[in-house]
Every structure is written in C-alpha cells, then in structure tokens.
Amino acid sequence: MGGMLTSGLESRLRDTVRGRVDFSAAARGLYSMDASNYRKSPIGVLTPESVEDVVAAVAAAREFDVPLVPRGGGTSVSGNSIGGLVLDFSKHLNHVLEVDPESRLARVEPGVVLDDLRAAAAPYGLTFGPDPSTHSRCTLGGMIGNNACGSHSVRWGKTADNVHELEVLRYDGSRVVLGPESDDEVHRKLRALAEGNLAVLRQQFPPMPRRVSGYALDELLPEHGFSVLRSFVGTEGTCATLLGATVKLVPTPAAKALLVLGFADDVAAADAVPDLLDYQLLTIEGMDRRIVQLTGASVELPPGDAWLFIEVGGADLGEATDAARKIATAHSGHHRLVIDAAEQRLLWKIREEGAGLSTRRADGSEAWPGWEDAAVPPQNLGAYLRDFRTLLADHNVDGISYGHFGEGCIHARIDFDLISESGLAKFRSFIEGAADLVVAHGGSLSGEHGDGLARSELLSRMYSPEVIELFGQYKAIWDPSDKMNPGVIVRPGKIDEHIRFAGARIPLRTAFSFPHDDGNFAQAMRRCVGVGKCRNSHTPGGVMCPSYQVTREEKHSTRGRARLLLEMLRGEVITDGWRSTEVRDALDLCLSCKGCKSDCPVDVDMATYKAEFLHHHYAGRVRPAAHYSMGYLPLMARLASAAPGLVNGTARSPLAGLLKRAGGIAPERKLPTFADEPFVRWFRRRTRAGAERRPPVLLWPDTFDNYFTPEVARAATEVLEDAGFTVVVPDAPVCCGLTWVSTGQLDVAKRVMKRTLAALAPYMRAGMPIVGLEPSCTAALRSDLVELVPGAASEQVAAATRTLAEVLDDSDWNPPQLSVQAIKQTHCHQHAVLGSAADTRLMSRAGINAQTLDSGCCGLAGNFGFERGHYEVSKAIGEQVLLPAVRAADRDTEILADGFSCRTQIAQQTDRRAVHLAQLLRRAVDLGRP
C-alpha cells in the first residue's frame, strides 16, 4: 500500500474506533507470523474494544479498499491469520457473556480463550467438546475459523458440530445471523448454489471425520439440513468477520481412566485403531517415543516405541476403570492403566506440547510444520503411514508423527530446510507428493487447522475443477470484492512463498555462545515456532510470561519478543538492527525470569536473548542509569560494607529521592538495607564448633546473602556443620556476574566470571562442591557461566554447583522435626534452571508442611522491579497470586522464599517477612540441641 493510502486508513480508524490502532513497525513485526512457516507483514493492527469498533473498522477498510484478516490467538499452523489489516480480538472482545445450563448453550465473544469458556461452564458440569492442544490460549473465534477439533473429537466432533448460532459481519457492512431459523439474501443465494449442484456436492464430498480442507459445501445439502451455519465454520476468515457466537456445551465425564497401549512403531499403533473404535471412547491419541524423550520427563509407559493414549469416561472411577480394563484385556500387547489424576495430567501435557517439542530434536536439529495436519479415514491410517514413511525416506527427511489417531489425523514436524533455495525446492516436492498420497488414501489435506497459505494451493489435487469453481462462487456470495483474508482457499498463493525463515540466516558475532543452537543467534530466534504457550493467562505450575499475564500485550509475550528479534535480523520491517527501539521497548518489560527457558516447549531463553540485545544496543553509548546502579551492585555493596550505617542513614534521609533518581530507581521502592557486618567477615572471625565428618563444601557468598541478609548464610553454615560438613568460603572475592548479565553488560560480566574461575580453581581441583543459597546466582553458575565463558573450567564449576537442599538431601542427615506449616514461593530461576524436588523432600524430612504457591514470578525479579517505570507492573505480577496468599496466611504459617527478590517483594508489599529454607532448618537444629 502507498504511504498516503496507509496514513489515510490509519487516520480514519483513529477517528472512528476506540480500540488501539497501531501501524508501527513494531506492530507489523509482531503480527507478521502465526504458528506456521509463513510470514506476511500486515498493513496495521487494530485491537477493537467493542463490536461497534469492528463495524467501524470494516467500514474504514471498505472505504480504502484494503484486505481484512480477523485474528484470535495466532496459534494456527496454516498461515491463515497474517497480512492485511489485522483485527486482534483476543485483547478486549474475550468474554463469556452467558452460560445457560438448561439449554446447554453459551454466548461468547470471538476473542474468548477456550479455557475461559470451559472454566465458566465447569460449575454446571459442562464443557465445550472440541479441545485443541492450545486450549489455554486459542480463541473461540479462531476455532470457528479453522473448524478446530482437538483430542476429544472422537466423542464430540468438530467445532462445526458444536455451534448453535453465529453473528457475522460481511465486508459490505451487512450483518448476518447464522442459525436454525435464519433466512436472508445470503441464505437464499447459498440455497440456490446448492440446489444447482446437488450431484457434485453428493458425489465429491465423501464423509470422513476430519475433512476440514476447503469449504464444507456438503453441509448445504437438503439431507444435512441446508446448514449455512456449519458450512461457514472453517472458512478461515475468508468470508466474513465473526462478531459473536452461541455454542453448544456437553456434559463433562464424572471420571476418566487413561489406558496406554504400547506398540513397536506408529504404523502398528495405527493398525490397531479401527478395532478400538468399536468401544465407547473419549479419545485415541498417538504418541512417538522421541517426543516423550524430548520432554525429559520421568514417566512410566509400557514397552514400545509408540503408544496409543486411550481415554474412557464413566459415571465414577470404577466404571471408567472397568471399561478401560475391558479394552486392555482385548489388547494382546503391552499396556498400562493410569488412574491417578495427576499422572494423567502429566501424560496429557506431554501430548499437548508435542507441536513445540518436536520442532527441536535431541541433536539440536530443527523441524517444522508444513505437512502438519493431514487426515485419512481411520481404517486407512496404517496404510497411509507406511506410504508416508516411504515418502519421507525418498526425500531424505525425517518426521515425528503423533496426533489424533482415533480420527486418522496425523501431525508431523519434519526437518525441512526452509532457508536455502534447494531446501525450499525439496519442501515443495515433498508437500506435493504428500498431498497426492493423502488423496490416494481418501483423506483430507487438513484435518483441523485449515488450509491457509500452507495448503490452499493444493486443494486442486484434492477436489475437482467443478468443486474449486464452487468454492469461488461460495466466497463470492459472502465477499464479492475478495477482501476477506485473500489468497486463502480461493485464488491461493504458492506454498513456498512467504516462508518466514528465508532471508533471516545472518551470521552474527555474539557474546553468548548459544551452544544449543550451533552458536547461531538467528537459529536461536527460530526456536519460537509460535505455539503461544507464553500467552496463557497463567500456566499452572509455570512462570512464563509474567509481564504478558498483566498487560495481555503481544509484545510482552515471549513469542512477541522473539518475533521482533527475528524481524530485526531480517531488516525489512525493523530496519535499524541492534539499535532498534522497537525491540528495546518490547524487551523492557521482560523480567529476565527465565521462565520460558523451562516452560516454553522449545526452550526459548528470552533472558539470554535480552542480555545479548542490550549488550549490542548500548555498545559505545551511555546506558540507562539503572544499568550502572543495578549492574554494579556487587561492587557498590562491597564499598558500602565499609560504612553500612552511613549508607543506610543516607538511604533513609531526604536524600533518598535524589539517590533513586540518579540511579534510575523507582521512587516507590524502598532501598534495601545493608547489614552491619557482611557474612564473609563474620565467617572469618568465628570459632567453628563441632566435629566435621564429611568432606568440605564451598559456601558461595553471593552479593545478596553476603551484604544484605547475612543471617541466611550464617544459618546455612550452621546447618551444614550440624550435618557434618566442613564449610569453607573462597579466600578471594568472587561473583557470578549475574547483575552485569541481566543489564546486558556482557564484557564486564565475562571479566568478572573469569576472575571468579581463577579464584575457584583450587577448590575445583580439590573436587569441592559449591553450595548456592541465592537461586539467581546459583542458576547463573550453572547456566550463564558456561554460555558466556565456555570451556572446561566453567563446565566444572557448573557441574559442582548445588543448592543447599540438594547437598543435604543427598546426605544421610536427619534434621530435627519442626512440625510447622508454610507457604513457599519458588524463585523463578530455581523453577527454570535448578528444580526444587530436593527442597520438597528435605522439607518433608524436617517436618515442614509446605504448600508451594502456584504463583509464578514474584514480580520483583532482581533489578527489574527496582527500575524506574516498572513498579506498577512489578506489583501487579505479585498481586496475581503471591501477595494475596501471603496476606491471607495465618500468622503462625511460615512464609518461605529462598530468593532475595521474593523476600524483598513480600516485605515491601505486605506486613509479613519471608525466610530462607536455611533459616527454618537452622531453627530445627536449635530445637534439636540438648
């Protein structure tokens, strides 16, 4: 579009809508991709606040003759929500308007997340049947657009089978209600279309569970009730814009049992499916051993290299279990019945994360969608998979298959080369062959994700010219100007055009080594395939992405930030490289919590990417004041320890405001208080008591527990000595370099780390373990050190670094019983890098009955919460779960938080004080002494 036309459209939108209108380079970069292989930069992005905004936006688009692309969660793998003027419904039009348990219907806005609908229906014992693996972030509008299905379509069918009424807005401005009693111009034209082509519709749309490709014109047949409603579901935003929906709800099974059957391979598993469909099942899902291995999860599965997950329901657990056992008895192979609900959730989590997990193989190689969604009749599945394996071998590519075996729908992430010209040529050749293969087996190119840019060109291989012509006529009735998501289904683009990775492979000199991405920053950016788990409002038991949970802005999700970094490498929309203000601003609210390092299915590590970006962005330039005050905190703390009383007095005086302003500190924050005596000074002057009976351990004197809370390190010392360890501290000053890493001062961080490695060398030669108390510093020694200063010395230190709980848990020390109640806040770096299984076991042994809060990040996150401009977001993150839980806790319930940031946030936002695990254990030691 020309500049004048774009500016005119933008101006008209700003005049007529209340929602945010954003035509910036940042917005166009953020919305240039979905979860597919494709990239098309939009004209601009509108985030409507109301239906009236949508009506005004369509009017403006019509006036300026620009295409429209409605968008929900952007989790489609087909490339059907990119380009044009994007309407993002997920931010505001995301409410469940009504749940009617009597009629089992719910009214929803198009941007409502599926899990929010399910939560609203749950009190009535109801749910929405279709359940894609992205249920925690996909929207009902997107599901209606794609005719989504999910795992339980064996029982409840596709989205089209679960919709009662839709209200849609055509590009010409007319509003149409699609429902049982509807009759208007569109309905009359579509009836005429159907009546004039009855033979074609009856003969060329054979019934199969997962035929989603093209338009469902067979739903217009008289024997199907002439359902314009069902024919509209799955039109992928190419016909009209959804304004609202009334959907059907189904009863939730009272109890479920999971039967896992083991097979030699996926083909053998597929061969077993037709017989299993004779039973009353909720689902049959296929899994490959390689996906399970990629999770690193410890799960018990029957022998085999592939499994079928078979779920059955019942009025109670006994009925569900009996039904599962009948199937197991009929199955001659290995099996395992899973009754425990928590174990069932773990296994389903592995299945749901297959799309992300299978994009990175154990050897680090990359794999992609492309042939992600094909479906065949279930009785043909085994034969199809045999031929599919041959096709993979003929093209010298590999794919991990999994998916909805009960309905013949196979997902596969394949190691295509989508960067080089020869790789793209092979990609096209394979996809064309795969399309012919699935058609030969009576199948559909798409089984639930829609056609989009990924498959629309191939529709002519599945349907006759007569049907393709009817698709064009169907779209023309709805959208005669061809402005609704053009290039999808009708008059399609090429499957090898708009590939998002081509042109982005730029070798870059980086400070971090990126060992898991062959040292290539661009390859690291390709980790984000767009599945959007970071867009969950809150992931149970997870951390990512704290700022998105508060702002609900795409640019504050891990996915959004990764996309802007990739756009920065392309240099088309984001044109100023490392100096990009768009990327800088998107990263500003990244807490460097590292939650994505563990919670993202493909281990995107935004904390590291942010540090790398800041390193380059500010190279040779003056940095924000907080980078100096927070980054150089270890040095400043050492200087302050010479006169802590004077420093603390100044921090509490009227000069505090000036100090905060000069240091870039949020005025709302209280400055931490320096201890009267650092831990190391106390340690060196003390007289050791007791006889040590174990090898020595090196207690890491991190900046926080050395200068601010030495009582934690003193408690840890006494606990370790009570357990029989000889405790030593380094003779020379040491630092993990974390504060310089988190502020992107990587040259300084490297120098600090190298000095630390030299200081630790004698202890490493002695084989001494390093005991860390502050989770962020401990995690830095385990991960950042190796990636920033690669080499044998760093690897030795990383391998030697343990948490206090890990050291004590591995010993035979039996702590005296405390018999206390506690709530525990897990530090985000511990969650992401260290794990807390040892903490749980040790607390149980010590009689600490701890409830670990499902709270994610505390919101302070080291320097983040202290920096000017971050206070409100920092507080809002804490207020989601942690701070209310602390305030509600009984006064005799201990608040347990190992992280200095977590304890500081709790102290500054509540009237409670949290303690470190070492302090609770020290109390147990005191109680156990005679």
Side-chain angles (χ1 to χ4, degrees), residues 20 51 107 110 161 279 310 315 370 411 459 563 575 597 605 615 640 647 679 683 722 749 835 843 903 910:
R20 187 178 65 229
V51 168
R107 287 195 307 115
D161 304 310
Y279 297 91
I310 301 174
H411 299 318
L459 288 172
R563 285 182 173 163
T575 58
K597 187 178 176 72
D605 184 2
H615 169 69
V647 175
F679 162 71
F683 184 87
D722 185 80
M843 287 188 294
R903 297 196 300 273
T910 76

Side-chain angles (χ1 to χ4, degrees), residues 51-297:
V51 168
E52 289 71 25
D53 276 358
V54 179
V55 173
V58 172
R62 186 169 62 253
E63 177 184 353
F64 288 90
D65 197 34
V66 302
L68 278 172
V69 178
R71 179 177 169 119
T75 57
S76 171
V77 298
S78 298
N80 47 17
S81 60
I82 52 178
L85 173 63
V86 169
L87 304 180
D88 180 359
F89 289 91
S90 65
K91 171 86 172 179
H92 298 296
L93 290 172
N94 56 10
H95 300 97
V96 178
L97 301 176
E98 180 185 7
V99 174
D100 183 351
E102 296 300 321
S103 62
R104 294 182 180 174
L105 296 175
R107 287 195 307 115
V108 300
E109 293 178 323
V112 70
V113 170
L114 173 57
D115 271 1
D116 292 340
L117 170 59
R118 300 205 298 185
Y124 307 104
L126 300 172
T127 191
F128 188 68
D131 58 342
S133 60
T134 54
H135 53 82
S136 60
R137 60 268 192 196
C138 71
T139 67
L140 264 292
M143 292 178 66
I144 290 166
N146 288 358
N147 201 3
C149 303
S151 299
H152 290 89
S153 60
V154 170
R155 172 64 64 89
W156 291 307
K158 304 185 290 288
T159 296
D161 304 310
N162 293 271
V163 173
H164 178 73
E165 185 176 276
L166 303 176
E167 183 182 9
V168 302
L169 177 66
R170 296 172 65 200
Y171 192 82
D172 66 6
S174 61
R175 293 165 77 156
V176 181
V177 175
L178 310 180
E181 307 300 326
S182 299
D183 184 24
D184 52 37
E185 180 188 5
V186 169
H187 283 73
R188 290 190 289 273
K189 287 183 176 180
L190 291 176
R191 186 182 294 275
L193 178 71
E195 289 174 348
N197 296 276
L198 291 176
V200 173
L201 300 187
R202 286 180 173 134
Q203 295 170 10
Q204 299 197 33
F205 288 83
M208 63 166 287
R210 287 295 192 96
R211 177 169 44 77
V212 169
S213 277
Y215 295 134
L217 301 187
D218 56 317
E219 295 289 358
L220 300 177
L221 287 168
E223 56 266 36
H224 294 162
F226 179 63
S227 180
V228 174
L229 171 66
R230 290 197 301 274
S231 79
F232 183 87
V233 177
T235 54
E236 304 182 47
T238 63
C239 292
T241 300
L242 181 68
L243 298 179
T246 301
V247 297
K248 302 173 185 177
L249 303 174
V250 297
T252 304
K256 299 175 184 177
L258 176 61
L259 177 66
V260 184
L261 306 182
F263 297 89
D265 55 29
D266 57 349
V267 174
D271 285 337
V273 166
D275 290 339
L276 292 168
L277 291 173
D278 293 335
Y279 297 91
Q280 292 297 310
L281 308 175
L282 295 175
T283 187
I284 306 178
E285 294 289 292
M287 280 290 292
D288 187 285
R289 173 179 291 279
R290 287 179 289 176
I291 292 178
V292 178
Q293 290 172 335
L294 285 168
T295 69

Side-chain angles (χ1 to χ4, degrees), residues 32-40 76-80 82 359 366-372 412-414 416-419 424 427 431 453-455 494-502 526 528-530 563 566 570:
S32 63
M33 310 172 203
D34 50 18
S36 72
N37 295 328
Y38 297 93
R39 171 188 176 273
K40 289 177 73 175
S76 171
V77 298
S78 298
N80 47 17
I82 52 178
T359 61
E366 301 171 286
W368 310 110
W371 195 246
E372 173 69 15
R413 293 289 165 109
I414 300 171
F416 298 120
D417 168 11
L418 297 180
I419 297 171
L424 289 173
F427 168 73
I431 296 299
L453 300 178
R455 284 175 285 276
K494 301 293 185 182
I495 60 171
D496 50 355
E497 291 179 336
H498 305 294
I499 298 294
R500 64 166 157 163
F501 308 111
R526 294 199 297 270
C528 179
V529 291
R563 285 182 173 163
L566 187 59
R570 293 187 66 97

Side-chain angles (χ1 to χ4, degrees), residues 594 597-598 775 778-780 782-784 828-835:
K594 290 187 178 288
K597 187 178 176 72
S598 60
T778 309
R782 276 205 190 167
S783 60
D784 295 321
C828 47
H829 287 194
Q830 178 155 9
H831 169 85
V833 178
L834 307 171

Side-chain angles (χ1 to χ4, degrees), residues 23 30-31 55 58 74 90 149 158 284 331 375 467 477 538 683 765 851 905:
F23 281 52
L30 285 167
Y31 287 84
V55 173
V58 172
S90 65
C149 303
K158 304 185 290 288
I284 306 178
H331 175 64
V467 172
I477 290 172
H538 178 65
F683 184 87
R765 286 194 294 270
Q851 172 201 356
Q905 181 81 311

Side-chain angles (χ1 to χ4, degrees), residues 444-462:
S444 173
L445 305 174
S446 172
E448 65 179 339
H449 293 155
D451 297 309
L453 300 178
R455 284 175 285 276
S456 293
E457 184 194 353
L458 305 171
L459 288 172
S460 60
R461 294 172 179 261
M462 177 177 171

